Structure formats: structure tokens, C-alpha cells
Amino acid sequence: MKYLEEFRNPDLARRLLDDIHATVTRPWALMEVCGGQTHTIIRHGIDQLLPDQVELIHGPGCPVCVTPLETIDKALEIASRPDVIFCSFGDMLRVPGTDRDLFRVRSEGGDVRVVYSPLDALKVARENPRKEVVFFGIGFETTAPPNAMTVHQAHRLGIRNFSLLVSHVRVPPAIEAIMRSGDCRVQGFLAAGHVCSVMGVDEYPELAARHRVPIVVTGFEPLDILEGVRRAVQQLERGEHRVDNAYARAVRPRGNPAAQAMIADIFEVTDRSWRGIGTIPDSGWRLSARYRDYDAEHRFAVTGITTEEPAACRSGDVLQGLIKPHECPAFGTDCTPRTPLGATMVSSEGACAAYYLYRRLGTPTAPPLEATPVV
């Protein structure tokens, strides 16, 4: 299969690793921004195959994980109403709110449905005109275009019983917030290729120059990650700090103009709260005034819900790269995939879930790359 086996080739991986080992002369800390990249790194033991001087820090790149607790509680409040059909992607159903999750709401009689596209939720709305249908619209720039298109379609078709609970976030302001943090150790970034395939790379050169960090746009297969690390380390060793696109097979410099135009029409930039991190200015989108009638927060008057994160969950520190998942006292004991304290243990892209699935508690020796399963 093209672009799968080719990017898991053990011989090419060793050549990239040899190049990294030969290049690095001092310690460097790189942050991968995407949760999918984190799972590739942990599953294939990439962080253990790299030189000891190269540390990979896991950033806030999981859209489920960064959705704030207050937004989950708003979803629970809306989904509990008898006149509502609440639609969501499956990985949101087990994310814990203050005292329950969407699975619990469904078990208590709420009409909570798993869909595979926001357009599926719009179809549900057309088929159930006497019900209010709400889609849980979360994610980074990658999922914003289809969610925007769904609102556009609802408006065009005159479907009035559909609304969107929006929790969209943007990567560049998160990088800015990380670099401005007093605890920041990050010296370079592996940027998420799917985000850049939508938005391009125009937002990143200013960040790279201002904070003097290389930003390498990277894919999601093992060789993608290794090539991204190789290019970032080369820049750091040379004292450079620029944007480098190592995922040219999918990312164009200006991204996808049609998708960007759809986002600009439907959404407007707003401050956004990130789970475990707090509010980051201009880091999210909300529905623009023209489409405010499709905003579930306003339609169901849940804008006033506020919450506090559970003290036992250190997912915020994990998302900021301040600790590794296994360094949280609750990891693997009080917090497991069956009894999660936070979204980082629930999501298929969460760092805590990756450590639990592929590494458990310790730091065992990484498996040889040729023994790594290819799926």
C-alpha cells in the first residue's frame, strides 16, 4: 500500500537514526504537537531509539484531550434534554465531565448517537424534524472545514433544528502560549502535517523567528517522525530557526484555500479555554454572528457553566509537556482507560493512553524496528 509500508521501512529508519546520532552534539528538546504523532512515537519506540541528547516532549495535540471540562459539562447538559438528539464522534462519549460522561447520559435515557461525519448529524436532523439535533464540533484546524460546511449546508437548506456545540482550537496560538510559559523547555517543534494541509505554513515563520525555534512540518509514520527530528536537530546544531516542510507529499505552502474560505465564512476567531491549561487568547473559533442561530451554547443557554479540573488529574501538565504520563501518581492506578480521570487517558490520540497501551509504567527497552507490527 503506497505511503504505508514505504514509511515504515526498518533499513531507512536506521539510516535516519544513524544520521541523527552523527549530527547531535548537545541536548535538545523537541515537542511534537499532534497526538497522532505521539502514538507513533510511543508505539514504535522512536523516543527510545533516538540519542539520549534528543528528548521528545508530548504537546497539546489531541483535540479530545484539550476540550475543556466546562464544554464537556455543557454537552452533558444539552444531551440530557428529552427533546435533543446529541451526535458525536465516538471518542468523546467516554471523556469524563464533572460527574458523568455521555455514555452515562445515554444509559439514563438520553438520545446520544455516534456518527462518523457532521453531515451524518445533519441527516439525522432532516429525518427528525420534531427533535433538536446537536453535533459536538471539536478539534483543530483539521476538522473545522467539514464542521463549517455542515453549518453552511444547514443554512442553505433551511434546516432549523440543527446546531453545533463548538470547541475548535488553533495550533499557532498554542505554540505561542507554550513558548511564553516560564516552565518551557521546548527548543523546536514538529508541526502537525494534517493541520498544515488545511492552513498551510504562513502562520509559522513569525513564530519560529520570534522564539528562535525551528518548526518542521511532519507526517505521522515512523519515517516521517524520524525525518522531522533529523531536520530539526540539523537546524538546532547550526543555530537556525526556520520553518521546514518535511511533509510535502500532503502539505502545500498555502494549504487548502477552499477550506480556509469556508472556515472564514462560518467561524470567527475567539479566546478558547484548553483543558488543564486555561484560556489562550485567539486560540479558537466560534460561529460568526451570521450563523449564531446554529450555536448550541446560545440555543440551549448553557454559556454560564463553569467547572474546576479534578486535582488528582495532571493532564494539564502532560499537555504542556511538563511531565510524561507515567510521572503522574494516578497513572495506571486510579487512572486507567476503564476508569479515566482525564481525557488524555480516554482519547485514541491521548498521550496517557499511548503510554498505557504501548509502554505501561516503566521505560522498557524498545523493540527492534523490524518486529514492530505493521497494520
Side-chain angles (χ1 to χ4, degrees):
M1 182 181 294
K2 193 169 179 60
Y3 295 151
L4 185 60
E5 284 88 349
E6 292 92 336
F7 287 87
R8 298 183 182 182
N9 184 297
D11 294 330
L12 293 177
R14 286 195 179 85
R15 289 169 59 184
L16 288 169
L17 283 164
D18 288 345
D19 198 352
I20 295 168
H21 277 267
T23 301
V24 67
T25 63
R26 67 190 89 169
W28 301 113
L30 306 176
M31 175 177 279
E32 82 276 2
V33 181
C34 173
Q37 293 170 342
T38 300
H39 271 250
T40 296
I41 289 165
I42 303 305
R43 177 184 179 186
H44 294 274
I46 290 173
D47 55 333
Q48 297 175 60
L49 295 168
L50 291 170
D52 291 340
Q53 300 100 312
V54 179
E55 179 186 4
L56 294 180
I57 300 174
H58 317 310
C62 163
V64 175
C65 303
V66 302
T67 301
L69 184 60
E70 64 190 52
T71 302
I72 303 299
D73 282 354
K74 290 173 184 178
L76 297 171
E77 166 64 24
I78 295 170
S80 299
R81 302 191 182 194
D83 61 332
V84 167
I85 300 173
F86 194 88
C87 299
S88 172
F89 296 139
D91 53 2
M92 293 303 298
L93 268 63
R94 294 192 61 248
V95 178
T98 298
D99 56 7
R100 54 184 176 160
D101 56 26
L102 285 168
F103 267 128
R104 174 66 64 85
V105 171
R106 187 160 72 174
S107 72
E108 294 171 348
D111 194 344
V112 178
R113 304 185 187 185
V114 173
V115 295
Y116 298 95
S117 162
L119 289 172
D120 291 343
L122 191 61
K123 181 181 178 183
V124 172
R126 297 185 71 175
E127 294 172 348
N128 296 270
R130 296 182 182 277
K131 290 277 192 174
E132 288 287 339
V133 176
V134 180
F135 178 72
F136 202 173
I138 72 157
F140 289 89
E141 293 93 332
T142 320
T143 57
N147 289 343
M149 172 59 76
T150 304
V151 173
H152 172 80
Q153 288 286 83
H155 181 72
R156 185 180 67 84
L157 297 171
I159 301 174
R160 308 302 301 173
N161 64 323
F162 174 82
S163 59
L164 201 67
L165 181 60
V166 182
S167 187
H168 276 302
V169 288
R170 302 171 55 237
V171 170
I175 292 178
E176 180 73 32
I178 289 166
M179 292 309 300
R180 290 186 178 276
S181 169
D183 299 319
C184 178
R185 299 186 297 111
V186 179
Q187 297 163 292
F189 287 91
L190 304 182
H194 50 10
V195 169
C196 294
S197 71
V198 175
M199 303 304 294
V201 300
D202 287 350
E203 295 178 283
Y204 294 100
E206 184 180 348
L207 282 170
R210 181 162 60 250
H211 298 290
R212 301 183 65 81
V213 292
I215 300 176
V216 181
V217 180
T218 310
F220 308 94
E221 292 298 323
L223 296 191
D224 289 322
I225 303 295
L226 289 171
E227 175 64 5
V229 170
R230 187 183 73 87
R231 294 193 189 194
V233 168
Q234 284 180 339
Q235 284 199 52
L236 289 165
E237 290 284 338
R238 294 194 294 255
E240 299 174 355
H241 43 82
R242 55 185 173 80
V243 176
D244 187 5
N245 182 9
Y247 197 42
R249 69 181 187 273
V251 173
R252 302 294 178 264
R254 298 196 177 277
N256 186 327
Q260 294 169 30
M262 180 60 66
I263 292 171
D265 178 48
I266 304 297
F267 294 120
E268 63 186 19
V269 172
T270 186
D271 299 345
R272 182 65 70 188
S273 176
W274 296 54
R275 187 164 193 159
I277 298 175
T279 299
I280 301 177
D282 297 333
S283 66
W285 282 306
R286 65 183 178 190
L287 289 170
S288 63
R290 180 184 177 191
Y291 298 98
R292 195 60 48 83
D293 288 346
Y294 295 93
D295 190 330
E297 283 194 58
H298 291 273
R299 182 172 295 194
F300 296 96
V302 294
T303 54
I305 291 178
T306 58
T307 56
E308 291 187 8
E309 300 285 342
C313 179
R314 297 190 64 188
S315 61
D317 292 335
V318 172
L319 291 169
Q320 295 176 78
L322 301 179
I323 65 170
K324 296 291 195 296
H326 68 274
E327 294 171 335
C328 173
F331 177 82
T333 54
D334 294 333
C335 183
T336 71
R338 285 184 175 272
T339 59
L341 293 178
T344 49
M345 184 60 87
V346 176
S347 171
S348 60
E349 292 189 357
C352 295
Y355 272 65
Y356 191 93
L357 283 171
Y358 304 124
R359 185 165 301 164
R360 193 67 185 193
L361 289 171
T363 53
T365 303
L369 214 63
E370 58 263 62
T372 303
V374 175
V375 295

